[in-house]
Amino acid sequence: MKNPFPKRFFRRQIWIRSIVQIFFFLLIALISINHTLAETGKSIPVLSSASLHALCPFGGVVTIYQYVASGSFVQKIHESSFILMIIGFLLAVLFGPVFCGWVCPFGTIQEWFAKIGRALFGRKRFNLRIPEKFDAVLRYLRYLVLAWVIYMTAASGTLIFANYDPYYALFNFWTGEVAVTGLAVLGITLAASLVIERPWCKYACPYGAVLGIFNLFRVFRIRRVEATCKLDGACDIVCPMNIKVSQKRIVRDHQCISCLECTSEARCPAAGTVEFVAGGK
Amino acid sequence: MKLTSKPLAAILFAILFGGIAFTSAMNWWQTESTKVPEKFQEGEAAGQYNPADIRGSYTFGDINRSFPVPIEVLKTAFGIPAETPGETFAVKDLETLTSAQTSTEAQEIGTTSVRYFVALYCGLPFEVIGDVYLPRPAVEILKESGKLTADQIAYLEAHTVDISDASSRLEQTVDTPETPSGSEQTVEEQTIKGKTTFQELLDWGVNQSRIEAILGGPMPSASTPIREYCAANGLEFSTVKTALQTEIDQLQK
């Protein structure tokens, strides 16, 4: 099918989201480097030198069982992880998985690799590698990953997932503490990001699975006004999670990351048609 | 009510950093361990700190704040040089400090030793798994305390490391022929010691993936001694050793 959209269409985007993403990517990278420096007694002043585990909201999720059972946290997890988990949940209740679309540095780097992939392979050959019927089933794989991580963490009392976590590997590969499995998952994810948008988020991220549930009942949601919709499919093409927004009136898909790229503020050419709203029907 | 990207970004920052600022002000935001062990949940010791939860990152000062064990007693018990400040001495450094003195025997003086000493000194419950060794000064202090049972005294007498004797033995072994390589060791001799290398583990049939799972990271060069790797990577040798020894023991069954 011929692409009806000119190149300049794809340049329109939520620019402030890109700035927020760059900010959090640099912040986490610098804190991780500072953590390494702090162990040698040469840390950057003012900047936090917390470990990556201490700043990961998913750490709070995996320690819930142990916290309820014994009042303590899983090793390497601290109060900060628990607090970030609560903040993440509050944001998700209000806006859906906005953490995934705006904050998560691993989502950001996958988007950057996707841009490289588009440049290398062209837009037509990008994001079309997995047949739809398999893709639809694979989208639920991340809930299996979530169940496995929670069970294994509860059973062992240790951060089992750290050995496979590409996010941990990305910001610790220079420390020598990253398991080969983590580096392998990181490499596979980044390579896959060249041909598939946000593969880790879509198919494997356990934290994305948790936040995705909030899409069912969040306060602000993506709403499409059928009366003004041109049905041109612009919203479908730009969605990084490949949700068919043009076929929905309210987006409650568990994979939506609230990036707002599909809205009339960004790619939808019809004013006031796809919007981020609270209330109403 | 409609929301666009700029207000969303502002609200996102306000909630995220506002939440961190608020919890910091309330002193809830902690990104490091508080260095306070768990408490016993049941039994006669319920409500008291559990020595089994002492971590390698704890200093003698941290232990002193949770248990009634003076820092000087800990220093004397574990043979820490007088000029070393006890307040900041980390338990995990004990393995490095005593490694040269115990390397000829499978007698580790490490975090588990400190846990056991603190438990006996304070009269708290402690489940001994495997062999736990204590230096002679620690054993003498415990005997003098008069809190030990006959069984505990018998166990300690069989698990006492005389640091000076160990040093002399170490010197004597310099002139004696090397132990046969790991592959020639009998099943009974497949015990992880201070100088055991990763190559020996591989020779004994331990899978590299199992080693990496225990280390929580990639295995270094096979010729690297396990203790040396642990010291360089902030791991507790006693913990790693116990996990690896379990793997070896399972292979022997």
Side-chain angles (χ1 to χ4, degrees):
Chain A
M1 192 178 84
K2 190 184 173 188
N3 187 345
F5 299 101
K7 272 192 176 177
R8 67 175 180 279
F9 163 82
F10 295 103
R11 294 196 192 109
R12 289 176 60 200
Q13 61 178 4
I14 303 288
W15 61 267
I16 197 162
R17 187 173 79 94
S18 301
I19 291 172
V20 172
Q21 286 180 302
I22 291 168
F23 171 80
F24 280 108
F25 188 92
L26 291 177
L27 181 67
I28 295 298
L30 286 171
I31 289 174
S32 295
I33 292 167
N34 207 29
H35 180 68
T36 307
L37 290 174
E39 289 179 342
T40 61
K42 300 172 190 168
S43 61
I44 304 165
V46 183
L47 186 67
S48 168
S49 60
S51 71
L52 201 64
H53 297 304
L55 298 177
C56 180
F58 187 58
V61 177
V62 297
T63 202
I64 287 176
Y65 173 81
Q66 184 164 323
Y67 190 75
V68 171
S70 67
S72 63
F73 297 116
V74 172
Q75 279 184 23
K76 298 181 182 176
I77 296 299
H78 309 291
E79 285 82 350
S80 54
S81 308
F82 220 67
I83 290 164
L84 286 172
M85 175 194 74
I86 293 167
I87 292 173
F89 285 170
L90 174 64
L91 286 167
V93 166
L94 291 171
F95 310 115
V98 74
F99 182 90
C100 305
W102 292 66
V103 178
C104 178
F106 197 62
T108 300
I109 199 167
Q110 288 175 85
E111 288 191 11
W112 291 344
F113 269 70
K115 284 181 181 172
I116 297 169
R118 279 194 203 96
L120 288 175
F121 305 116
R123 188 165 290 277
K124 282 184 184 174
R125 288 163 60 194
F126 182 79
N127 239 351
L128 298 170
R129 302 299 164 112
I130 298 184
E132 208 165 305
K133 62 179 178 182
F134 295 123
D135 178 76
V137 175
L138 287 173
R139 296 288 181 123
Y140 290 95
L141 186 64
R142 58 185 193 164
Y143 288 98
L144 286 179
V145 176
L146 173 65
W148 177 78
V149 173
I150 288 178
Y151 172 77
M152 291 300 290
T153 309
S156 69
T158 58
L159 281 181
I160 292 286
F161 187 55
N163 288 341
Y164 307 92
D165 186 358
Y167 172 61
Y168 179 74
L170 175 65
F171 290 107
N172 281 278
F173 66 85
W174 60 84
T175 62
E177 294 175 4
V178 180
V180 174
T181 44
L183 290 170
V185 175
L186 173 64
I188 292 166
T189 303
L190 294 182
S193 298
L194 292 169
V195 290
I196 303 167
E197 216 150 11
R198 282 185 173 250
W200 177 257
C201 312
K202 281 176 185 165
Y203 306 117
C205 180
Y207 188 52
V210 174
L211 295 184
I213 295 167
F214 289 87
N215 277 325
L216 303 176
F217 52 84
R218 65 194 203 179
V219 176
F220 281 85
R221 55 266 174 97
I222 303 288
R223 185 186 66 189
R224 184 178 63 90
V225 180
E226 290 174 303
T228 53
C229 180
K230 295 178 178 177
L231 292 172
D232 54 12
C235 47
D236 301 343
I237 286 178
V238 297
C239 177
M241 301 300 279
N242 306 124
I243 298 166
K244 295 203 181 302
V245 181
S246 67
Q247 294 175 13
K248 302 174 191 297
R249 205 171 60 76
I250 302 283
V251 176
R252 290 199 180 91
D253 193 298
H254 70 97
Q255 296 242 318
C256 177
I257 56 170
S258 302
C259 63
L260 306 193
E261 298 293 349
C262 61
T263 61
S264 298
E265 186 190 353
R267 310 284 172 71
C268 174
T273 297
V274 182
E275 294 188 314
F276 197 49
V277 295
K281 299 210 172 176
Chain B
M1 183 183 170
K2 180 180 149 187
L3 196 64
T4 56
S5 60
K6 287 172 199 158
L8 177 60
I11 294 168
L12 175 64
F13 270 84
I15 291 178
L16 191 50
F17 289 107
I20 292 171
F22 173 74
T23 52
S24 296
M26 300 299 289
N27 208 24
W28 296 339
W29 178 265
Q30 302 289 340
T31 58
E32 290 181 346
S33 166
T34 50
K35 308 277 170 74
V36 175
E38 286 182 18
K39 290 181 177 176
F40 287 103
Q41 299 294 315
E42 52 195 29
E44 287 182 9
Q48 296 191 64
Y49 292 115
N50 186 348
D53 196 41
I54 291 172
R55 315 277 172 94
S57 59
Y58 286 21
T59 64
F60 281 180
D62 296 326
I63 293 173
N64 174 247
R65 280 184 280 281
S66 297
F67 301 95
V69 188
I71 293 173
E72 283 309 312
V73 168
L74 287 166
K75 283 182 67 176
T76 306
F78 289 93
I80 309 303
E83 63 276 15
T84 305
E87 172 67 31
T88 54
F89 183 83
V91 173
K92 65 184 176 187
D93 293 339
L94 203 54
E95 291 173 352
T96 312
L97 191 73
T98 59
S99 61
Q101 295 160 324
T102 58
S103 57
T104 54
E105 302 288 340
Q107 299 170 332
E108 289 306 321
I109 303 295
T111 307
T112 310
S113 307
V114 175
R115 291 171 182 154
Y116 190 37
F117 175 78
V118 171
L120 292 176
Y121 190 89
C122 301
L124 294 168
F126 186 84
E127 186 184 358
V128 177
I129 300 170
D131 290 319
V132 183
Y133 290 88
L134 290 180
R136 186 167 297 284
V139 174
E140 295 303 326
I141 288 170
L142 291 171
K143 281 182 178 173
E144 285 169 19
S145 73
K147 295 176 184 171
L148 302 182
T149 64
D151 285 349
Q152 286 170 334
I153 291 172
Y155 181 87
L156 284 177
E157 283 177 348
H159 292 79
T160 301
V161 176
D162 196 322
I163 293 174
S164 56
D165 280 0
S167 296
S168 345
R169 282 202 303 274
L170 182 66
E171 286 164 19
Q172 287 166 12
T173 56
V174 172
D175 296 323
T176 57
E178 285 287 317
T179 309
S181 66
S183 57
E184 292 171 28
Q185 280 186 287
T186 64
V187 168
E188 289 74 19
E189 289 170 324
Q190 290 180 0
T191 304
I192 298 174
K193 300 175 184 176
K195 287 184 175 175
T196 304
T197 63
F198 288 102
Q199 183 60 55
E200 285 172 86
L201 293 182
L202 297 172
D203 292 343
W204 296 342
V206 183
N207 194 303
Q208 184 172 339
S209 62
R210 289 301 307 147
I211 297 172
E212 291 181 336
I214 289 166
L215 296 178
M219 194 183 88
S221 164
S223 60
T224 308
I226 301 165
R227 187 205 296 269
E228 194 177 300
Y229 173 84
C230 292
N233 290 277
L235 299 173
E236 288 172 21
F237 176 59
S238 55
T239 308
V240 172
K241 176 190 155 189
T242 304
L244 291 170
Q245 191 64 52
T246 304
E247 290 289 324
I248 296 164
D249 295 344
Q250 282 175 353
L251 288 170
Q252 291 176 0
K253 284 178 185 172

